[in-house]
Amino acid sequence: MDLYEHQARQLFEEYGIVVPRAEVTDSSKKAREIARRLGGRVVVKAQVKTGGRGRAGGVKLAADPAATELTARHILGMDIKGHRVRTVMVAEPIDTVEEFYVAYALDRARGGFLAVASAQGGAEIEEVAARRPEAVARVPVDPAEGVTSSKAAEIATAAGLPPQTVDTLVRLWQVLVREDALLVEVNPLVRTRQGRIVALDGRITLDGNARFRQARWGTEHTEHDDPLEAAAAARGLTYVKLDGEVGVIGNGAGLVMSTLDVVAGHGARPATFLDIGADIGGGACARLMADGLSVVLSDPSVRSVLVNVFGGITACDTVAEGIVRVLDAVRLTKPLVVRLDGNNAARGRAILDERAHPLLEQAPTMDTAASRAAELARQG
């Protein structure tokens, strides 16, 4: 369950992390009033659950309250990657001297969490990670030990962050643990001319299985402007449309997130985040796999599809049955790479071998599967 930026900001503030003063509104006239309260010059930011807002024109600096009203009027109603902008956050501008990137993410493959940090944060962090992977530190975090001050100092040193960020790193970990989050990301985390460490933007993904403990976020009505997201939601799937060319399907949010990273590491961009769930068994699993694959294949931007499943309760043979169901029902026109491991993996692979579809191939590991999917996407 993704939070809006203003909701992430609210959590940061509750945990003592410094954030800019800001208010949220769905009215351009109220945006003007907020700007007046904040001192006149402000930043107007579209509130949508997707990245790339700045490049899409959804983040603008306004010089005064009148300009704020005009800017908010322009941003409200915009379509950003299929997401309609219904609210904006009006925030005070921050004079920065350095920008950093910090995130904690679930690493299901290692059975823990991963701290990802870089001294080169900002809008170009993805390009930095691709061009200069050594500039992005990846530090495993044992969930039993957590992020203490010493662990935070280790992360800061590995990433080249100033010592002043250590306290914020500890507090961000507290947000992740106490709020049942799978991902906590700040980009950018900045140092101001006065030496303050401020979280300018935030992204938080909560564990849907802990929704009963996070009821305050569950009352907001979710609308899907993207037809594929709406179709996936109607079928009980966790789906996010991305702006790449490799459709990614997996079981469990952590595994899917890791798969996205591995695909990107092989020079391709993920086109989808689709999680069929890690604790689904029997016929429901096969149905969800079939539904998920149908949704991803209907995306015109997808050039290849990667299915990465580690079987537990979600057994690999039922996943394979769902894939075969789709292959029997539709004409597959895009290459499909499947990696099955874990519970009933041998049986699942055999089911796919028996089907012997010319556009389907299997790979033994997540890395080889991602590499092949990326290669096929480039060829397509």
Side-chain angles (χ1 to χ4, degrees), residues 105-113 182 251-256 258 275 278 310:
L106 177 64
D107 187 350
R108 192 180 298 274
R110 298 183 181 180
F113 285 87
L182 300 173
N251 63 319
L255 179 61
V256 180
S258 298
D275 175 16
F310 188 86

Side-chain angles (χ1 to χ4, degrees), residues 63-362:
D64 53 47
T68 300
E69 181 176 355
L70 293 174
T71 302
R73 187 179 302 161
H74 171 73
I75 293 177
L76 286 167
M78 283 181 62
D79 182 281
I80 300 178
K81 297 182 181 178
H83 296 260
R84 187 73 58 188
V85 180
R86 292 183 169 84
T87 59
V88 294
M89 186 172 75
V90 182
E92 65 173 339
I94 301 295
D95 190 13
T96 68
V97 294
E98 289 183 286
E99 294 188 348
F100 317 117
Y101 174 90
V102 174
Y104 294 117
L106 177 64
D107 187 350
R108 192 180 298 274
R110 298 183 181 180
F113 285 87
L114 190 67
V116 184
S118 175
Q120 300 181 37
E124 309 302 324
I125 183 61
E126 292 182 358
E127 295 180 13
V128 170
R131 293 195 317 267
R132 297 182 55 223
E134 72 279 2
V136 181
R138 293 171 171 84
V139 181
V141 177
D142 184 338
E145 298 178 3
V147 177
T148 60
S149 294
S150 60
K151 186 67 175 182
E154 176 189 340
I155 296 168
T157 300
L161 306 182
Q164 300 98 305
T165 61
V166 167
D167 180 68
T168 300
L169 291 173
V170 172
R171 293 177 186 273
L172 287 171
W173 175 258
Q174 292 171 351
V175 172
L176 182 134
V177 173
R178 297 175 186 175
E179 301 299 327
D180 300 305
L182 300 173
L183 170 71
V184 172
E185 177 186 71
V186 181
N187 186 33
L189 181 70
V190 305
R191 184 172 67 84
T192 70
R193 294 190 183 280
Q194 296 75 33
R196 293 192 307 160
I197 301 298
V198 182
L200 284 198
D201 198 352
R203 177 184 170 199
I204 295 178
T205 299
L206 303 182
D207 186 347
N209 294 317
R211 188 182 291 268
F212 68 98
R213 285 202 297 258
Q214 304 296 337
R216 61 171 166 168
W217 309 118
T219 57
E220 184 173 302
H221 178 63
T222 301
E223 298 185 35
H224 301 274
D225 295 299
D226 184 273
L228 292 177
E229 290 191 357
R235 300 176 184 184
L237 297 165
T238 301
Y239 172 92
V240 178
K241 178 75 177 73
L242 304 174
D243 57 356
E245 59 279 341
V246 178
V248 176
I249 305 174
N251 63 319
L255 179 61
V256 180
M257 288 169 62
S258 298
T259 307
L260 300 182
D261 289 340
V262 177
V263 167
H266 284 286
R269 298 177 304 162
T272 66
F273 172 110
L274 196 149
D275 175 16
I276 66 169
D279 55 358
I280 306 297
C285 171
R287 177 185 59 79
L288 287 173
M289 186 67 242
D291 287 346
L293 191 53
S294 297
V295 169
V296 172
L297 288 170
S298 65
D299 185 342
S301 67
V302 170
R303 298 178 185 173
S304 70
V305 180
L306 169 57
V307 175
N308 185 21
V309 170
F310 188 86
I313 297 175
T314 305
C316 292
D317 56 339
T318 54
V319 169
E321 289 168 1
I323 294 173
V324 169
R325 182 184 301 180
V326 173
L327 296 178
D328 289 340
V330 303
R331 179 173 174 269
L332 185 64
T333 59
K334 301 170 183 178
L336 174 63
V337 181
V338 180
R339 176 254 184 170
L340 301 176
D341 198 4
N343 184 19
N344 286 355
R347 175 57 185 154
R349 298 189 199 107
I351 290 172
L352 296 180
D353 286 338
E354 291 169 10
R355 183 60 177 79
H357 194 285
L359 287 180
L360 185 151
E361 55 186 271
Q362 300 190 62

